[in-house]
Amino acid sequence: MSSGARWMLGLSCLAFGAGFAYASAMDMIPKNGWIGWVFAAICGLIAMSCIPGKHVAVTGRVVGGFVFLLCAVYVVSEIRNPGPGGNRATPSLKNALALFALWGMPAGYVALRGVYPTTARLGNVFGKEPPDGNGVN
């Protein structure tokens, strides 16, 4: 990710975190106001992980673990109490498994390893030199 995109992501997460904190402080979140504080903290961690430094692995692991946990809770809740299903807009086990595969598993990888999964490490896909070295793919 380029440094400009990283800073834009960090600033937008900081703004969202401030919005969650404001909504929680002003009692705009009706039932469980503490959830707003949790999401404000997660947005703050994401913003912190966008600033280069040694802390990126730790904050990435915390955020990855949180996303993995949310996806796993969604799958378990759909197994225990199935939703109506039928399409993408309604909760269902199919949607929960899709979310877990697309977001939960990569987030779990980040939580365990502390780095983001890329295909470049697996096969030099985005490397400067092609794998065979002759300039032709």
Side-chain angles (χ1 to χ4, degrees):
M1 180 183 296
S2 71
S3 65
R6 184 179 303 237
W7 281 104
M8 289 297 291
L9 176 65
L11 289 174
S12 63
C13 282
L14 196 60
F16 276 107
F20 279 122
Y22 178 78
S24 295
M26 296 296 152
D27 291 330
M28 294 179 174
I29 301 175
K31 287 184 180 180
N32 298 320
W34 60 271
I35 291 176
W37 290 110
V38 170
F39 280 108
I42 293 297
C43 288
L45 284 172
I46 293 171
M48 232 173 78
S49 70
C50 291
I51 301 169
K54 293 181 180 180
H55 63 280
V56 171
V58 175
T59 55
R61 285 176 189 241
V62 171
V63 172
F66 181 74
V67 171
F68 178 81
L69 183 65
L70 282 179
C71 293
V73 165
Y74 181 35
V75 170
V76 170
S77 71
E78 284 302 314
I79 290 172
R80 293 180 71 202
N81 187 13
N87 60 22
R88 287 278 181 219
T90 58
S92 68
L93 183 60
K94 180 177 80 170
N95 292 343
L97 291 173
L99 179 75
F100 188 76
L102 294 174
W103 287 91
M105 289 175 60
Y109 180 87
V110 171
L112 290 175
R113 301 285 311 263
V115 294
Y116 299 106
T118 61
T119 55
R121 278 190 223 129
L122 299 176
N124 195 19
V125 176
F126 299 111
K128 293 181 181 177
E129 190 68 28
D132 60 1
N134 65 5
V136 179
N137 284 333

